[in-house]
Amino acid sequence: MRPQTSLILVAALAGLAGTSSTLTVQADAGAFQTSQAPQTPQPPRPRGNLAPRARTYTYFIEDGNVADGYRRGDRDLATWALQAWERHSGGTLRFVAASEASPRIRIKWVGAREGQYGETVRAPGNRRASIVYIRPDTEALGPLIAEPARVDPLLRDSIVYLTCLHELGHAIGLSHTSDERDIMYSFQFGGDIRAYFYHYRDQVKRREEIATSSGLSVNDIERIRTLFTGR
């Protein structure tokens, strides 16, 4: 495992505000012959680092191999994870789909031969870019997870979605936490991996609900909202 990037080894996986600016045009007082009511001075427009802005990340989601456990709908799970981070960022984060050539974040689906279930690393030759490796095959998580995931597609999709969410957190700069309520929690600190996944699985009744059930904790949201505004 690379420091502060990988979610876990096989047993260590599990989670703008718009501002309006008013342009005030003040006419020369001498141009008016009638008396005018005094106008309330307008506050200056924010400048420089005071002006709210979103940090933009381009991304590209590769196709996977069915032999590695990849399913066509897994692209949706990765997209929903991106949207969850953006939706809860308070306007500090924006993801934009890009071509395969040079995205800021590249999501790759890998097989069992890669060893890791989820991992995020810096792209070779570009320290600003990240490669997010996601293993969509849940068999590596042990019988307590693998067996129910075979008969419960929604559990399997929940696991893949949460893995994408966690690894994308690393890609945008978040480190692990020791709080089991966080998506950035690491099982290196212990915990019940089965209970962790079922806590999310029990919140969704249909696959489409994953798109609106973020899986982010209050702490996850606070961290992402202050990650860029504090710089």
Side-chain angles (χ1 to χ4, degrees):
M1 184 190 309
R2 294 168 175 80
Q4 298 184 346
T5 55
S6 62
L7 172 57
I8 51 169
L9 296 177
V10 166
L13 172 72
L16 242 246
T19 59
S20 59
S21 298
T22 302
L23 178 60
T24 301
V25 179
Q26 297 181 346
D28 184 351
F32 293 91
Q33 301 302 319
T34 59
S35 61
Q36 300 292 321
Q39 296 188 8
T40 302
Q42 297 296 316
R45 297 180 62 189
R47 296 181 180 276
N49 292 333
L50 297 178
R53 65 185 180 89
R55 181 70 60 89
T56 299
Y57 284 81
T58 57
Y59 71 90
F60 181 81
I61 304 173
E62 296 188 355
D63 289 327
N65 192 324
V66 174
D68 294 330
Y70 174 79
R71 301 177 184 178
R72 181 179 300 177
D74 290 347
R75 176 180 292 272
D76 292 335
L77 300 175
T79 300
W80 293 340
L82 288 163
Q83 292 172 348
W85 280 118
E86 178 174 329
R87 187 169 65 249
H88 291 283
S89 71
T92 65
L93 182 63
R94 187 165 69 104
F95 291 105
V96 177
S99 65
E100 185 177 5
S102 56
R104 186 79 179 270
I105 298 175
R106 182 185 301 275
I107 300 176
K108 299 174 67 74
W109 310 95
V110 297
R113 63 187 178 278
E114 303 294 335
Q116 302 281 11
Y117 192 80
E119 185 177 16
T120 299
V121 300
R122 294 302 177 195
N126 185 356
R127 293 187 58 81
R128 289 171 52 83
S130 299
I131 302 176
V132 174
Y133 294 100
I134 304 294
R135 179 178 172 182
D137 180 9
T138 56
E139 292 297 317
L141 296 177
L144 289 178
I145 296 295
E147 291 177 5
R150 291 189 204 114
V151 297
D152 183 359
L154 195 49
L155 173 61
R156 181 266 178 194
D157 286 351
S158 295
I159 294 171
V160 174
Y161 167 76
L162 293 176
T163 305
C164 291
L165 195 63
H166 178 104
E167 293 304 327
L168 287 168
H170 285 314
I172 59 179
L174 295 179
S175 59
H176 285 140
T177 75
S178 57
D179 190 333
E180 290 186 52
R181 294 171 295 182
D182 301 340
I183 191 60
M184 298 312 297
Y185 174 73
S186 170
F187 276 86
Q188 295 172 350
F189 296 102
D192 186 333
I193 185 172
R194 189 175 190 275
Y196 183 91
F197 286 130
Y198 269 100
H199 176 73
Y200 180 84
R201 165 63 181 89
D202 291 342
Q203 298 178 44
V204 293
K205 305 305 179 185
R206 297 179 301 133
R207 186 176 187 273
E208 293 75 14
E209 294 180 11
I210 297 177
T212 55
S213 301
S214 72
L216 298 176
S217 70
V218 172
N219 186 46
D220 291 319
I221 294 171
E222 178 64 20
R223 292 180 72 200
I224 190 58
R225 290 187 176 187
T226 59
L227 180 64
F228 302 127
T229 57
R231 292 181 179 178

